Amino acid sequence: MKNSFWGDAALYGAFLGLAEIGFVTLNLVCPFKGLGLLHFIVFVALLVVFTRRRVRLYASEELGYSYGECLLYILCMSLFAGVLVGAYTALAANFFFPEKYQALVDQSLSVLSQTGVYSTDMLRHMQSMMRRMIFSPLWVLFSNVFGYALKGTFFGLFVAAFTKRNPSMFGPEHTSGHE
């Protein structure tokens, strides 16, 4: 069962990651109103579907599948998704869409410079930091893994409450009714 846990978490984490990659790319290529809400709905729906599948297949009558087990499964799926999205984001920033990511840096710096709070030297330093954070593969990978772990755990707190299976009160031998 331990091997199936990691295998399932990796497989469904990959599906979750692919969906996330689709939304990241869509947001870069053609952002539209409502994309964020759709992204949220799909993310939570996939967590529910994949966790329910896990519970349905591996919950026993005697032990059920606890809230903690569901939350751990969601966390592991999210970690695998974070690795996949992080690798893609590093590639996207450096090879597929570098001009889009540079435009994001430039836009952020433009907004910061318009506040009048930051000196030119400070803005140059911020630009250097932003470039390292957005274009450095290790930083992007780490931040995505950490970010998806947090995101999955936060939404998993709610999803696990609805997907857990309590153990049978009387055990499997007493489920057929009165004797």
Side-chain angles (χ1 to χ4, degrees):
M1 182 133 112
K2 289 288 183 195
N3 287 341
S4 70
F5 176 85
W6 291 108
D8 283 354
L11 176 66
Y12 293 106
F15 287 142
L16 187 62
L18 289 173
E20 292 295 301
I21 287 170
F23 280 106
V24 166
T25 304
L26 197 57
N27 194 37
L28 280 173
V29 174
C30 60
F32 59 88
K33 212 172 205 158
L35 183 62
L37 179 61
L38 180 62
H39 184 185
F40 166 75
I41 290 169
V42 169
F43 183 80
V44 172
L46 288 176
L47 288 182
V48 169
V49 167
F50 297 152
T51 307
R52 277 194 178 155
R53 179 195 174 279
R54 176 79 188 168
V55 169
R56 190 176 59 250
L57 291 176
Y58 295 102
S60 68
E61 285 289 323
E62 299 85 28
L63 301 175
Y65 208 84
S66 73
Y67 177 86
E69 289 173 310
C70 289
L71 191 57
L72 178 63
Y73 182 68
I74 291 168
L75 171 64
C76 292
M77 276 193 307
S78 299
L79 286 170
F80 283 113
V83 169
L84 193 62
V85 175
Y88 171 78
T89 304
L91 288 172
N94 290 295
F95 299 107
F96 303 147
F97 306 108
E99 66 284 344
K100 297 273 187 185
Y101 283 90
Q102 185 59 48
L104 291 172
V105 170
D106 294 342
Q107 181 183 17
S108 297
L109 289 171
S110 172
V111 169
L112 289 173
S113 69
Q114 290 174 0
T115 64
V117 176
Y118 303 104
S119 69
T120 307
D121 195 38
M122 291 169 79
L123 288 170
R124 264 196 306 270
H125 183 66
M126 281 191 256
Q127 180 182 24
S128 172
M129 261 186 2
M130 285 178 165
R131 285 195 54 74
R132 274 195 309 255
M133 289 172 51
I134 291 176
F135 296 100
S136 168
L138 288 176
W139 176 255
V140 170
L141 184 64
F142 172 76
S143 64
N144 273 278
V145 170
F146 184 72
Y148 276 91
L150 285 177
K151 181 179 177 180
T153 301
F154 177 75
F155 292 121
L157 292 170
F158 304 102
V159 170
F162 294 105
T163 57
K164 69 179 176 136
R165 181 181 291 170
N166 292 324
S168 176
M169 188 180 231
F170 301 107
E173 66 273 356
H174 295 341
T175 57
S176 60
H178 299 296
E179 292 187 44

